[in-house]
Amino acid sequence: MKLLEERIKRDGEVLDGNVLKINSFLNHQVDPKLMMEVGKEFKRLFAGEQIDKVLTCEASGIAPGVMTAYQLGVPMVFARKKKPSTLNDAVYWADVFSYTKKVNSKICVEEKFLHEGENILIIDDFVAHGEAVKGMVNIAKQAHCNIVGVGAVVAKTFQGGSDWVKDEGLRFESLASIASFKDGQVHFEGEE
Amino acid sequence: MKLLEERIKRDGEVLDGNVLKINSFLNHQVDPKLMMEVGKEFKRLFAGEQIDKVLTCEASGIAPGVMTAYQLGVPMVFARKKKPSTLNDAVYWADVFSYTKKVNSKICVEEKFLHEGENILIIDDFVAHGEAVKGMVNIAKQAHCNIVGVGAVVAKTFQGGSDWVKDEGLRFESLASIASFKDGQVHFEGEE
């Protein structure tokens, strides 16, 4: 997605350790018009697929997730990182390892929001090692949903997450695929 | 907002301790079309005001916040509950007390996303005691922003948060104002 790649080149900051900081339009400050374009692009990419629900993860997945769900005309569910105190009902849990923080955490989705046979599109803001995606795939499988595919706003394809999704036999689409940060610059796949 | 009040009556669950659970369309599963209507309604209510940015708080504020910002054509910033490991820059902090969890926590916004004199609309999903709103007002004041007002998707007006906002001299608008949960039912303000 050209618009997104240009924005990453313009506003992204490459930090030590292969970390890309894009919190001026995705992870902290959010550009709503860009998120709507992200939603339109996921709709275009997954056209022809039956999708009943979008599954994403708080917090940064919510903006692209809700715009994608808006475009598709379906509900969105966001996995929670803590079980809210008002959440007394049964939940699906999955472990998520954070490579940046070097800690294990958990995500959960209330059971009543995922149904057997439902066609689920998983949306994530940033797929690197893909730990959040693995957690969401785990939860969707516990619920016996049909996973239509995984859509990443940005993927660092050299860190294994996208390969893991494909090895699971799932379709993977990312709107900006980063091949390397050679010389402190963002290099997208397919760029000469 | 009639559409929202009807949805709360239909899908909301009243729990012990004056707790309303509306996680089938706002706090966990999200109805994107309803969120877009929420955004349109905030735009209508704050028409005539100069608004440069929407400030909200993760996680449940993001969906209504991003739709409001989309309608207004401005960026949204969401306050974070943890300082991300990639966030090395200076941040504004504020304390937030959770009445449901009985714990103090903190929220933060990176300094570079709030500028002196910027006109800020604060959006929150649920205003009860108003602790998250107090934290956001605190942060906006630290940044010397001009707070245009506070918009709540749902307010429990009997728990003090909305009064606190008005006592601060700020405009408060909520799309569904709950006056009581008498007999386990939701009663909106102005209902006979």
Side-chain angles (χ1 to χ4, degrees), chain B residues 83-94:
Chain B
K83 187 173 167 176
S85 52
T86 54
L87 209 168
N88 304 313
D89 299 324
V91 296
Y92 298 113
W93 286 102

Side-chain angles (χ1 to χ4, degrees), chain A residues 38-103:
Chain A
V38 161
K40 285 180 188 168
E41 185 66 5
F42 281 129
K43 183 184 180 180
R44 191 186 67 77
L45 287 166
F46 288 97
E49 303 275 5
Q50 171 69 33
I51 297 169
D52 302 316
K53 202 166 272 181
V54 167
L55 175 63
T56 190
C57 188
E58 69 174 1
S60 302
I62 295 175
V66 75
M67 290 309 196
T68 304
Y70 179 79
Q71 286 294 331
L72 293 167
V74 300
M76 174 194 74
V77 175
F78 63 90
R80 307 213 61 143
K81 290 177 177 171
K82 281 184 184 172
K83 187 172 166 177
S85 52
T86 55
L87 210 168
N88 304 312
D89 299 324
V91 296
Y92 298 113
W93 286 102
D95 287 319
V96 172
F97 180 74
S98 166
Y99 277 86
T100 32
K101 293 174 190 164
K102 311 286 180 217
V103 290

Side-chain angles (χ1 to χ4, degrees), chain B residues 158-173:
Chain B
F158 58 94
Q159 287 186 323
S162 50
D163 287 336
W164 181 89
V165 173
K166 291 173 200 164
D167 289 346
E168 284 283 301
L170 298 173
R171 184 171 166 193
F172 182 82
E173 299 283 354

Side-chain angles (χ1 to χ4, degrees), chain B residues 20-151:
Chain B
L20 174 67
K21 188 172 168 182
I22 45 178
N23 71 0
S24 66
F25 58 92
L26 182 61
N27 297 131
H28 187 16
Q29 181 167 263
V30 175
D31 179 339
K33 290 215 184 309
L34 181 64
M35 290 305 110
M36 188 60 94
E37 294 306 313
V38 161
K40 285 180 189 168
E41 185 66 4
F42 280 129
K43 183 185 179 180
R44 191 186 68 77
L45 287 166
F46 288 96
E49 303 276 4
Q50 170 69 33
I51 296 169
D52 301 317
K53 201 166 273 181
V54 168
L55 175 63
T56 189
C57 189
E58 69 174 0
S60 301
I62 295 175
V66 76
M67 290 308 196
T68 303
Y70 179 79
Q71 287 294 331
L72 292 167
V74 300
M76 174 193 74
V77 175
F78 63 91
R80 307 213 61 144
K81 290 176 177 170
K82 281 184 186 173
K83 187 173 167 176
S85 52
T86 54
L87 209 168
N88 304 313
D89 299 324
V91 296
Y92 298 113
W93 286 102
D95 287 320
V96 172
F97 180 74
S98 166
Y99 278 86
T100 33
K101 293 174 190 163
K102 312 285 181 216
V103 290
N104 256 312
S105 57
K106 284 178 179 291
I107 59 173
C108 67
V109 173
E110 200 166 323
E111 288 186 8
K112 70 176 174 194
F113 294 131
L114 293 174
H115 306 109
E116 186 171 344
E118 248 179 351
N119 298 296
I120 301 291
L121 174 62
I122 293 173
I123 296 290
D124 203 6
D125 58 315
F126 217 121
V127 173
H129 298 91
E131 292 301 311
V133 165
K134 289 175 193 172
M136 288 189 274
V137 167
N138 180 338
I139 283 173
K141 284 184 173 178
Q142 288 180 54
H144 302 287
C145 294
N146 171 43
I147 302 168
V148 173
V150 174

Side-chain angles (χ1 to χ4, degrees), chain A residues 3-13 20 22 25 185-188 191:
Chain A
L3 187 68
L4 180 64
E5 290 184 353
E6 287 168 1
R7 191 64 175 271
I8 291 168
K9 291 234 178 195
R10 197 186 78 191
D11 294 338
E13 291 173 64
L20 174 67
I22 45 178
F25 58 92
Q185 299 292 311
V186 178
H187 299 274
F188 294 107
E191 279 185 335

Side-chain angles (χ1 to χ4, degrees), chain A residues 162-178:
Chain A
S162 50
D163 287 337
W164 181 89
V165 173
K166 292 172 198 164
D167 289 347
E168 284 283 301
L170 298 173
R171 184 171 166 193
F172 182 83
E173 299 283 355
S174 75
L175 307 190
S177 299
I178 296 170

Side-chain angles (χ1 to χ4, degrees), chain A residues 104-115:
Chain A
N104 256 311
S105 57
K106 284 178 179 290
I107 58 172
C108 67
V109 174
E110 201 166 323
E111 288 187 8
K112 70 176 174 194
F113 295 131
L114 293 174
H115 306 110

